[in-house]
Amino acid sequence: MEQPLPRKLVAECLGSLLLAALVIGSGIAAQRLYPDDTGLQLTENAAATAAGLFAVILMFGPVSGAHFNPVVSFVDAAFGGLPWRQAFAYLPVQVTGCVSGAVLANLMFSGSAVTISATHRATVAHGLSEVVATVGLILVIFSLARSGRTERAPAAVGAYIGAAYWFTSSTSFANPAITVGRMFSDTFAGIAPSSAPAFIAAQLVGGGLAFLLVRVLYPGVPPSQAADVLVPPANRVGIS
């Protein structure tokens, strides 16, 4: 049975909200618990994000595919899995969810609802890191989907993002929606608005490169298999 688009949009919005809340909230908690140990702050932020992302994907995957990321949605559409109309409909709710999640995280830690980040990150190294982080994320998702291992995607995506917090200098945003959301929290996980465009551009470049790499590594896969993103939505049972 085809899932109605409004239900998918609610799932994408809620999933994006929880993703932003766990990324930013765990960053705030880590910063307050260990204000003088940046390494420990990053360790705790990465661990919470990896575990939380695993759970959130399982929670909403059967409804919408658990994208929470415009790059994932557009690559899925380019492979023929998600209709372009739905990919474009996902975009505003993913951004809205991530901004709302940032506000929620701020409020949960008794901060102002909106605080604009002053953390500048737009360097060449950060841009390169975002390209690499996004390429890796898309490769994880679609290599599993196109090789019939979709059930492993929630754990694999969580593990990859947790690791990429450490091996990229940008701490692996890899998601335009979460990049926008993180502008609204002047905390450990924030990004200054002036740095966001460079991050988003790098993420789009990474998504395009990953699309080409997946086509090279897994050629000839029909759209029905290309559509298996993260967790198969209920209307694709049997086919992330």
Side-chain angles (χ1 to χ4, degrees):
M1 178 180 177
E2 176 71 18
Q3 290 285 334
L5 181 58
R7 186 178 299 163
K8 293 181 179 182
L9 296 180
V10 170
E12 283 296 300
C13 187
L14 289 175
S16 299
L17 183 153
L18 287 176
L19 173 61
L22 74 90
V23 169
I24 295 170
S26 63
I28 295 172
Q31 189 174 39
R32 291 188 180 181
L33 288 169
Y34 300 96
D36 300 319
D37 192 334
T38 304
L40 188 54
Q41 292 171 16
L42 185 59
T43 299
E44 293 170 340
N45 191 203
T49 299
L53 184 55
F54 181 15
V56 174
I57 291 171
L58 291 177
M59 196 183 307
F60 296 106
V63 180
S64 68
H67 293 187
F68 317 140
N69 185 335
V71 174
V72 174
S73 299
F74 290 145
V75 171
D76 193 17
F79 279 126
L82 185 72
W84 280 105
R85 179 179 67 88
Q86 291 190 21
F88 282 108
Y90 276 15
L91 173 60
V93 299
Q94 290 164 345
V95 173
T96 299
C98 285
V99 172
S100 300
V103 171
L104 179 61
N106 291 336
L107 292 174
M108 286 193 296
F109 286 90
S110 301
S112 300
V114 174
T115 56
I116 302 303
S117 177
T119 303
H120 295 280
R121 301 175 183 261
T123 67
V124 173
H126 287 142
L128 177 59
S129 292
E130 281 302 292
V131 172
V132 171
T134 307
V135 167
L137 175 62
I138 299 301
L139 282 175
V140 167
I141 293 170
F142 287 92
S143 63
L144 292 175
R146 292 167 76 89
S147 59
R149 297 174 292 161
T150 305
E151 72 285 349
R152 302 180 185 179
V157 169
Y160 174 79
I161 291 297
Y165 264 59
W166 279 97
F167 81 79
T168 64
S169 64
S170 65
T171 67
S172 184
F173 286 42
N175 180 341
I178 197 70
T179 302
V180 173
R182 288 166 77 158
M183 294 191 306
F184 294 90
S185 184
D186 189 18
T187 61
F188 179 77
I191 180 172
S194 60
S195 298
F199 267 52
I200 292 171
Q203 291 154 6
L204 295 176
V205 170
L209 290 174
F211 172 79
L212 296 176
L213 287 171
V214 173
R215 291 290 299 269
V216 170
L217 294 171
Y218 296 92
V221 177
S224 61
Q225 288 177 274
D228 297 348
V229 178
L230 300 183
V231 177
N235 59 306
R236 296 184 194 157
V237 171
I239 300 191
S240 275

